[in-house]
Amino acid sequence: MTDASPAERYARSREDRAHPVTAGFAASQRFELDPFQVAGCHALEEGRSVLVAAPTGAGKTIVGEFAVHLAMREPADGRHPAKAFYTTPMKALSNQKFRELVDVYGPDDVGLLTGDTNINGNARVVVMTTEVLRNMLYADSPALRGLRYVVMDEVHYLADRFRGAVWEEVIIHLPADVRLVSLSATVSNAEEFGDWLDTVRGDTEVIVSEIRPVPLEQHVLVRGDLLPLFDDRAGVATAQVNQELMRIRSFKGPTYEGNRRAQSLRSANHRSGGGYEASRRRPQKGGTRPVRSANVHRIERLDRPDVVELLDRANLLPAIFFIFSRAGCDGAVQQVRRSGMRLTTHEERMEIRATVEERTRTLLDEDLAVLGYWEWLENLERGVAAHHAGLLPAFKEVVEELFQRKLVKVVFATETLALGINMPARTVVLEKLEKFNGEARVAITSGEYTQLTGRAGRRGIDVEGHAVIQWTEGLDPQAVAALASRRTYPLNSSFRPTYNMAVNLIDQFGRARAREILESSFAQFQADRAVVGIARQVREQEESLAGYEKAMTCDRGDFAEYSRIRRELSDLEKINRRDVTAGRATRDQRQKQIASLRKQMQRHPCHTCPDREAHARWGERYWKLKRTIDGLRKQIESRTGTVARVFDRVVDVLAELDYVEVAADGTTSLTAAGRTMRRIYGERDLLVAESLRTGIWKELDAASLAALACCLVYEPRREGAESGDQRLPRGVFRTVLAETQDLWQRLDDLERDHRLPGSEPISAGLAQAMHSWAKGVPLDRVLVEADMAAGDFVRWAKQTIDLLDQLSLVAEPSVGTVARKALDAVRRGIVAYSSV
């Protein structure tokens, strides 16, 4: 505030006196807090909940950390000392936040719960995945005593198709006196989401900021030229595309030689501190490959080492290259390696090696060899790394740490890196603006573009961030500008009742109250809001309908009736003309109907009215609008109470399978099987519960139960990726798998009979590999059997462990004991590794 006017300083002083806790907290931070951060802290200090929607990298988490600060200010000597829970959507984010909070409050006061990691779970500050908190709420865990604040980081995950419902469950079920801090990416309907939070949680402040703390410069890389996307003179706000790019796009002549390098790099170098003269040199290594398109005759595209060298000379490193395939990321690292490029000093290489050896010391030497450790380490020492889901979690964490410490200069990553992990860079490079979604190549959305480029610009380090889009065949600068100009995307609920949710709600509240609770979901809130808008349309259009009806009034009779006969006759004649495949009997029947309608029309008193055709024109408008109104009314009927109707269908399935009992008066209670299902979470909750109840898993040993549990969580990356002749563990496993698949088929049929969507078939593609791993087979053989990257195998192994852990708690003693043995057998080697 050194540049503030006296009036501004006085206003700030008054604010600080009114909010002394915020003032003290702000003074302890490395940066001066932005207005939106201050507003969020003020709301919490005043006792309100808060929703903060701001761009990636804007510093939303400061508001969440202030909630933790408020909890820790209260004395710890009470019966239930004040607590704060910090939830994240991913284990990697939870681990990162846990380490950050331990640095502030010490290991005694901070805990971590992520399903496969349990550290100090009764601490005053506990970091956890959102699912863990949901499970604690349903179990009425003693750890909830004293809870004052819950931070929900990346709350926009509630739009996730598979996991989004968990966020809404937590928001709905948290005790009323808990203050909620919701942190979201910038979404276009933040106010709508805030209104819902205010409805279900009480007094909630909505704070929206669209200002990036570090401005973002957008560039297009055309051969060796880094051209600004927007015309500097027009400004980004006008989204005026650089006319040089438009000329390049329409250029029809010989090879484009790039005569605008000086103009293109000037702003990047000037503000980033790079040497403009150095940036004028052509790349020295590597080759170029021509890119042909209908609009650009010949534009050569730089190879990746040349792009890295260009950015290095322009002082635009560290950089993240987003490549939408794992193989592409690994291949890019190899390209840089083969070029001989080295981006680190001797001292940095020594520091990198020491860090890597420290972080990986618990991994076995034979496993390191299988994982390509030595080549990976050499690439890190060059300052280059890949980051994707196929990478071993331990390796990913090392890459993240080294990049944050500015030791690794270039990371080639898939878009998963953009999901909240703290890895800001000076520059983000997008090689393409489309990706493969499992079925086809699709253009990235404006929301994805914002999320990816949001990594550019390190607060307190960079004056500005840089987004670089590489020129590709058919690139349209106007389309890129549109992506870059739209900052927001809508947050839509993906909430749907599950079997586990149903039995927990019925157990705690009874069926009637459970329906009311589900009606308070964001999904229903959005549907109801839509209904309000549709109902308004209906009311407005009904007024027009009344006007049309009045305009077609005829003194000779009921013209509405006459108009209806004409419309029916016209529709039937059209059908008869178009449907040339109909049989003779059908056509004869239609001809009789047409003749009958024509006779009715000719005998109607309005048929002889001299103003008949004028009335008829109004009649056509009347029936067209009436059809529209009828459609809108159907929409209203379908949307009203949608969540509760799905809940009723779920309960009907549970009743048919004897998980609940429904009395004559509609009162619903849980059976013994229903009480077991309360603690079975996941997509396969009903199948797991039925398998336990029917006892079909009793004969399995530990390795076979691990393999079967893996079948229930595993999802192949591509449809049809599994062959019909895949290897399966021998013996009783095959019989039990077949019985489980038969059970799944019966349940799927039952769900569809009750108008529920059913579930995906069981995938046994990883069964043999998981069976071998649980038997103690070495990693190299298991990865060959799995035919997948180590990171993927670890992920499925940890999900298998989650399910086995549930089985060990809810299954009858014989199966529960085997589940615990299976869990211990799977949790070994690279699966057991934890950096916290």
Side-chain angles (χ1 to χ4, degrees), residues 659 684 686-701 704-705 708-709 712 731-747 762 807 811-812 814-815 818:
Y659 285 89
R684 304 280 190 187
L686 183 60
L687 178 59
V688 172
E690 274 292 274
S691 297
L692 292 177
R693 190 174 69 159
T694 55
I696 61 177
W697 295 348
K698 284 184 177 179
E699 303 303 316
L700 294 173
D701 61 14
S704 296
L705 184 56
L708 191 68
L712 299 186
V732 70
F733 173 85
R734 298 187 181 193
T735 303
V736 174
L737 175 62
E739 291 176 354
T740 307
Q741 288 172 326
D742 288 344
L743 178 57
W744 167 80
Q745 186 64 67
R746 293 197 299 275
L747 294 176
I762 296 170
L807 296 180
E812 62 177 73
S814 62
V815 177
V818 175

Side-chain angles (χ1 to χ4, degrees), residues 362-364 367 773 779 794 825-834:
T362 59
L363 297 176
L364 300 175
D367 289 349
W773 180 253
L779 177 65
V794 169
V826 175
R827 188 184 281 155
R828 68 178 180 90
I830 62 172
V831 176
Y833 171 88
S834 175

